[in-house]
Amino acid sequence: DGGITQSPKYLFRKEGQNVTLSCEQNLNHDAMYWYRQDPGQGLRLIYYSQIVNDFQKGDIAEGYSVSREKKESFPLTVTSAQKNPTAFYLCASSDPGQGVGQYFGPGTRLTVT
Amino acid sequence: AQTVTQSQPEMSVQEAETVTLSCTYDTSESDYYLFWYKQPPSRQMILVIRQEAYKQQNATENRFSVNFQKAAKSFSLKISDSQLGDAAMYFCAYRRGHNDMRFGAGTRLTVKP
């Protein structure tokens, strides 16, 4: 079945540690996205990538980094520079074309203490 | 910058009744797309319905329909014959271009048996 996988579902880290969230898709989509979701707020865009080896910052990129070495994979690293990293992180992908909705993975809940 | 506003943080509906969720957006563009996403307790984002701004006809998907008022920049979601499985957070989203997708803060819908 085609879809997007994110692992792990729950992730715990100590403050000051970098952590990498995985996102894999087998939908053959060119574009991939990372969103952050906080309670009472909608999704906010962290980074996006339209093609392999290329990515752009979204609205809240500070403290995060990404890579896009393969079409299927778009990992997100939450660095120690991110001041409030505890959140729910969603990965999405889409075909080209603005009319196409984005398909989302199941998300990763990151807790940093 | 485009913004999306959902003025109803919470709504409730009796099973089998109809409920309407409100969404307004701000844009100076004439060509864009609008979406409603559902996020059940599993937190998986599911695309419910989409509307192309250049189409006057309101989109419909089974029990879900929209009331798109372009001049008023309004995009409400109507759920008919509400079911217990409709209980979820609902997010309105606006998309202009490949990567500019903006989400509202969401409306939590409760369905009462």
Side-chain angles (χ1 to χ4, degrees), chain B residues 36-92:
Chain B
W36 278 98
Y37 280 88
K38 171 185 178 180
Q39 188 179 43
S42 68
R43 306 197 75 172
Q44 174 77 54
M45 293 284 283
I46 302 165
L47 179 61
V48 174
I49 198 166
R50 67 175 183 175
Q51 175 77 42
E52 300 163 68
Y54 63 85
K55 288 189 175 180
Q56 292 186 339
Q57 185 175 5
N58 290 324
T60 299
E61 289 286 345
N62 300 313
R63 299 183 294 106
F64 298 86
S65 61
V66 299
N67 183 7
F68 174 48
Q69 302 290 327
K70 191 172 184 179
K73 298 178 183 177
S74 171
F75 182 59
S76 60
L77 175 69
K78 186 172 81 171
I79 306 174
S80 304
D81 185 25
S82 296
Q83 301 175 359
L84 295 178
D86 294 334
M89 284 289 289
Y90 286 83
F91 292 95
C92 177

Side-chain angles (χ1 to χ4, degrees), chain A:
Chain A
D1 290 334
I4 302 176
T5 58
Q6 291 184 245
S7 61
K9 190 169 180 65
Y10 299 97
L11 193 54
F12 298 88
R13 280 295 183 272
K14 293 292 186 182
E15 193 174 331
Q17 294 179 335
N18 292 352
V19 59
T20 298
L21 281 61
S22 168
C23 177
E24 304 277 334
Q25 56 100 358
N26 60 5
L27 299 167
N28 200 34
H29 288 167
D30 288 313
M32 296 187 74
Y33 312 82
W34 273 107
Y35 291 93
R36 171 181 172 138
Q37 186 178 22
D38 293 288
Q41 297 188 40
L43 280 63
R44 293 184 290 168
L45 182 64
I46 304 172
Y47 267 98
Y48 64 92
S49 168
Q50 290 181 280
I51 198 168
V52 174
N53 293 323
D54 185 57
F55 48 84
Q56 281 79 41
K57 294 180 179 180
D59 297 324
I60 55 167
E62 185 175 350
Y64 299 97
S65 65
V66 294
S67 63
R68 187 85 186 277
E69 298 177 1
K70 299 187 299 181
K71 187 176 184 177
E72 303 79 16
S73 179
F74 191 41
L76 173 74
T77 297
V78 184
T79 75
S80 57
Q82 168 51 232
K83 296 180 180 178
N84 296 296
T86 295
F88 187 65
Y89 292 87
L90 282 159
C91 178
S93 70
S94 71
D95 273 328
Q98 62 178 342
V100 179
Q102 296 178 357
Y103 293 85
F104 286 82
T108 293
R109 170 68 181 179
L110 173 64
T111 301
V112 177
T113 58

